Amino acid sequence: MTQSAPFPGFDGLMSLSRREGIDIRPTLLRVLTDLYVQGGVHTREEEQQFVELTSRLIDEVDDATRAAVRARLSVYPYTPEPIARRLALRSSDDQRMPQAAAISTPAPAAPARPQRPPTEAEQRAASLLIQPDDAAQINEMFFAAATRERALILHNLAEAPLRPATRIPPQRAQRAIETLHMAAFAADAENFTHELGDALILATGTAERVVRDVGGEPLACALKALGMKLAAFEQVLMFLDPELGASVDRVYRLSRLYDRLEERTALIMVATWRGATVATARAKYRSVLHDDERHRARAATPASRPAVQPGTPLPSRTGTSR
């Protein structure tokens, strides 16, 4: 780890996690732990940043998330000592076998109350709509991330309490899949981009960014949201851009990602792209209106007062003149 966050946009997601009603801190903690463990040996600065970020989250997540993180770090040989003590793990500097705690006879537990299944209204409330500014931060974080980090983000988005976009109607989705399939066979990236943006209700710039992305993960999310079959997706990869499609490793990697990708995760990404477009439009017009008001304020000049005020008698004339 360097002075920057494990992946770009982490601080923006931290601000999102503090908003009332939206709690994605468990997801952030899981992603941060996975990235740290997979990074191998770290420098002192990297370790300090991991301790700082993890300490901000570890006491604010649920017991299940804390237990998962504890299990992940318990087998990692370079877990920082402050975090090891925080999670009641054995410190790397203390190799002594801990003494077993005294066994006490537990009091009889009260009979557990039967848990009722959540109502439909509660399930809808659990999924929260992504705000445009937050969607823009997640969108930039995803496009700026590397291949491994993108896979982790998509994996953890599946558990995030965020509302996905509405599923595309089956007839419209099927028509789009057929059109996209033919455009890919013809290597017609322009028509492919236009149809994809029209089917998913994406801005032209967003659709172009999804199609042209070299990594291919955004395109996998977009086609998964439409419900394209795996075999058709692999054909799109091979024919849409023949140069990239010639890479066996790329096609195989994206094929595995597509097979494991959940439809809900793909629809969350679609909602993120739409929200990011709204945030961009707001910022654009806000700056235009702000500059316009400034120009108006500068152009406005105070009205000059007349030389003769109302009610003042006119000066008398001397002599005669025509």
Side-chain angles (χ1 to χ4, degrees), residues 83-128:
I83 301 301
R85 290 198 305 265
R86 201 80 167 269
L87 294 174
L89 296 173
R90 186 181 60 180
S91 172
S92 57
D93 298 332
D94 185 7
Q95 300 298 331
R96 294 174 298 174
M97 183 67 66
Q99 295 182 355
I103 301 176
S104 59
T105 304
R113 298 178 59 183
Q115 301 242 352
R116 63 173 180 84
T119 63
E120 183 178 355
E122 291 174 341
Q123 292 177 353
R124 287 198 303 267
S127 297
L128 303 172

Side-chain angles (χ1 to χ4, degrees), residues 1 3 22 43 77 79 85 114 116 118 143 161 165 169 209 219 225 262 269 278 300 302:
M1 295 170 66
Q3 294 298 329
I22 300 181
T43 64
T79 299
R85 290 198 305 265
R116 63 173 180 84
F143 276 102
R209 190 177 189 184
L219 182 61
E262 297 182 8
M269 288 304 304
V278 174

Side-chain angles (χ1 to χ4, degrees), residues 69-312:
V69 171
R70 185 178 187 276
R72 192 87 166 101
L73 293 176
S74 64
V75 297
Y76 181 61
Y78 306 108
T79 299
E81 183 178 352
I83 301 301
R85 290 198 305 265
R86 201 80 167 269
L87 294 174
L89 296 173
R90 186 181 60 180
S91 172
S92 57
D93 298 332
D94 185 7
Q95 300 298 331
R96 294 174 298 174
M97 183 67 66
Q99 295 182 355
I103 301 176
S104 59
T105 304
R113 298 178 59 183
Q115 301 242 352
R116 63 173 180 84
T119 63
E120 183 178 355
E122 291 174 341
Q123 292 177 353
R124 287 198 303 267
S127 297
L128 303 172
L129 186 63
I130 308 176
Q131 297 299 320
D133 292 340
D134 302 325
Q137 293 174 354
I138 297 175
N139 180 57
E140 292 306 319
M141 174 195 69
F142 182 75
F143 276 102
T147 298
R148 178 174 57 88
E149 296 168 350
R150 285 182 176 184
L152 285 173
I153 293 170
L154 292 175
H155 174 72
N156 287 279
L157 276 181
E159 303 176 1
L162 301 174
R163 183 184 302 172
T166 305
R167 183 179 299 172
I168 309 301
Q171 294 182 351
R172 178 66 183 96
Q174 184 60 34
R175 186 168 71 251
I177 290 173
E178 294 174 357
T179 303
L180 294 171
H181 207 180
M182 291 187 294
F185 270 115
D188 189 350
E190 182 178 356
N191 283 330
F192 186 95
T193 303
H194 176 76
E195 179 62 23
L196 184 69
D198 186 63
L200 295 179
I201 318 178
L202 299 177
T204 302
T206 302
E208 291 177 350
R209 190 177 189 184
V210 169
V211 174
R212 294 177 181 177
D213 185 85
V214 179
E217 292 86 0
L219 182 61
C221 293
L223 298 182
K224 191 73 171 187
L226 289 173
M228 179 177 285
K229 300 295 184 182
L230 176 60
F233 172 71
E234 293 173 344
Q235 293 172 358
V236 168
L237 290 178
M238 290 185 290
F239 292 102
L240 181 61
D241 189 336
E243 182 177 354
L244 293 177
S247 173
V248 178
D249 292 338
R250 175 179 180 269
V251 174
Y252 179 70
R253 174 180 61 82
L254 290 175
S255 177
R256 290 185 59 192
L257 173 70
Y258 193 83
D259 189 40
R260 299 176 180 180
L261 185 63
E262 297 182 8
E263 181 189 36
R264 181 178 181 277
T265 304
L267 291 174
I268 288 178
M269 288 304 304
V270 172
T272 299
W273 294 330
R274 294 174 183 172
T277 301
V278 174
T280 303
R282 285 182 180 178
K284 174 182 176 181
Y285 288 107
R286 187 182 298 118
S287 60
V288 170
L289 293 175
H290 177 68
D291 292 340
D292 186 56
E293 290 296 331
R294 292 179 58 187
H295 289 309
R296 289 184 182 180
R298 292 177 180 177
T301 56
S304 59
R305 300 180 64 183
V308 179
Q309 299 297 325
T312 303

Side-chain angles (χ1 to χ4, degrees), residues 47-79:
E47 180 178 314
Q48 289 177 350
Q49 188 180 32
F50 175 74
V51 171
E52 178 186 353
L53 296 176
T54 306
S55 300
R56 295 158 60 184
L57 295 171
I58 205 167
D59 291 332
E60 300 178 355
V61 298
D62 55 280
D63 293 339
T65 300
R66 192 179 300 109
V69 171
R70 185 178 187 276
R72 192 87 166 101
L73 293 176
S74 64
V75 297
Y76 181 61
Y78 306 108
T79 299

